[in-house]
Amino acid sequence: MTAPETMPTPTFHQSMTAPLRRVLVKRPDEAFAVADPVAWHYVARPDLAAAQAEHDAFTAILRGAGAEVVYHQVDQPTRADSVFVYDPALITNDGAILLQLGKALRSGEEQALGQQFAALGIPVIGRLTGDQRAEGGDMFWLDDRTLAVGRTFRTNEAGVAALRELLEPRGVTVLAYDMPVYDGAEACLHLMSVISPLAPDAAVVYPRLMPVPLWQELQRREMRLIEIPDSEFPTQASNVLALSPTACLMLAGNPVTQKRLEEAGFTVHTYVGKELSLKAEGGPTCLTKPLLRRT
C-alpha cells in the first residue's frame, strides 16, 4: 500500500448523488460471453450482441442525463467481469485508490483500470497490496467525509484497515459493517446489493440483508429509506444509480420499486438488462464508475 499524497484542491468527487458529469463504462466484448457461466457465477452465458445493444441503450440514458460517457479501452480478453467498472477502484476528491478484488477470476482488473486512469489524467493516490482485499461494490460515500464499507467474502479486514490508513489522513471516516453469508462465498452479496444512495437524504434499501448498525446510522441521519419488496431483490431493484439528487436509473422489470421511487419524488429511468445485468449479477451502479459529480 502506498502512502497518501497531498493534492491542493478537490478534482473529482466524494458523493454518490450529486449530478453525474463524467462516467467511465466498459462496453461488453468477447470476454463477456463466457464459455463457462458456472465458473463466473453467471445465471447463463450472455448473448454478446444483445448485451452490447443493451449497453448502448444504457449509455444513451447516461448521455441524456447530461453525463459525458468515457470508455475503458484497455483490452482484457479473459476478464468477463471487467464490464463492472465500479469494483476495481474508489474515486476520491484527490484521485483514485486502486483496490484488490476478492473474486480471483477478476485479478488484474485493478491494473487495467489504473492504466485507463493514467490515460485520462486521473492520479492514483494509493493502492491495496498483499492480502488486502476490497471491492467497490462493498463501499459507498455516506457523505463527503464518510465512507461506508461492508466486510464480505470480497472485502476483508485488511482491506478495511488499508482504506482507513489511506483515507483518515485526508479527513475521511471509514465505517465498516459486517454482511451476512447469504448464498455463500461464490455468490456476490456486496454492501451495495442492499442499498443505493439516491440523494443526500434518501436511499433505496433491502432491509432484510442490511447490517443493523448501518440501518441505525441511516436512521440517525434521518434518511428517507425506500424499501424494495422481497420479490424484486433477485431482479436487482436495490441496485439504482443516482443521476442527480432527483433522478435515477434502474433495471426495467421492478414495477413496485419503480412506483415507490416515483411516489418519493424521483424521476426514474429504466434500461433492459436481461443479458447485461440479470445473467451476470451486476446492475447500473456496477456498470459505471462515476469520475465526476458536481452541482
Side-chain angles (χ1 to χ4, degrees), residues 45-281:
R45 182 177 186 176
D47 179 288
L48 179 58
Q52 289 175 332
E54 291 175 357
H55 195 269
D56 291 344
F58 176 80
T59 55
I61 296 171
L62 299 176
R63 292 188 186 92
E68 175 193 2
V69 175
V70 181
Y71 286 89
H72 190 347
Q73 303 283 8
V74 178
D75 189 31
Q76 300 183 72
T78 63
R79 299 182 186 126
D81 280 352
S82 60
V83 297
F84 301 125
V85 291
Y86 189 78
D87 288 323
L90 173 70
I91 299 292
T92 75
N93 283 350
D94 300 331
I97 295 173
L98 295 183
L99 307 173
Q100 284 207 110
L101 300 172
K103 184 175 181 177
L105 287 171
R106 301 190 68 177
S107 179
E109 284 186 40
E110 311 91 338
Q111 290 77 14
L113 190 56
Q115 293 176 43
Q116 185 63 58
F117 287 160
L120 295 171
I122 298 172
V124 171
I125 62 169
R127 63 187 72 225
L128 271 58
T129 60
D131 64 352
Q132 300 160 355
R133 297 287 181 270
E135 295 194 352
D138 279 327
M139 60 192 73
F140 67 91
W141 295 102
L142 264 169
D143 58 43
D144 64 355
R145 289 295 167 187
T146 310
L147 184 73
V149 182
R151 279 184 291 253
T152 68
F153 287 112
R154 307 287 179 88
T155 296
N156 63 16
E157 182 57 40
V160 173
L163 289 167
R164 284 199 173 106
E165 185 177 341
L166 287 163
L167 290 170
E168 288 184 351
R170 298 175 183 274
V172 172
T173 298
V174 175
L175 301 178
Y177 302 98
D178 292 322
M179 293 291 289
V181 171
Y182 189 50
D183 281 341
E186 298 306 314
C188 182
L189 184 73
H190 281 140
L191 179 62
M192 288 191 68
S193 299
V194 300
I195 178 170
S196 295
L198 301 171
D201 67 340
V204 60
V205 298
Y206 185 57
R208 288 185 184 275
L209 294 177
M210 285 186 69
V212 169
L214 175 57
W215 175 267
Q216 292 171 332
E217 177 65 20
L218 299 177
Q219 295 292 328
R220 187 187 69 78
R221 291 168 178 257
E222 298 183 344
M223 291 188 68
R224 294 179 293 144
L225 303 181
I226 296 98
E227 298 186 14
I228 72 165
D230 292 339
S231 60
E232 293 184 355
F233 181 70
T235 48
Q236 302 179 32
S238 51
N239 191 313
V240 182
L241 176 69
L243 302 173
S244 75
T246 59
C248 60
L249 175 58
M250 68 181 301
L251 266 163
N254 293 295
V256 175
T257 303
Q258 182 175 347
K259 182 179 180 183
R260 290 176 181 177
L261 290 171
E262 290 168 344
E263 289 175 345
F266 294 95
T267 299
V268 180
H269 302 269
T270 63
Y271 75 101
V272 174
K274 177 183 176 184
E275 305 296 324
L276 186 61
S277 293
L278 294 178
K279 285 186 177 180
E281 293 189 307

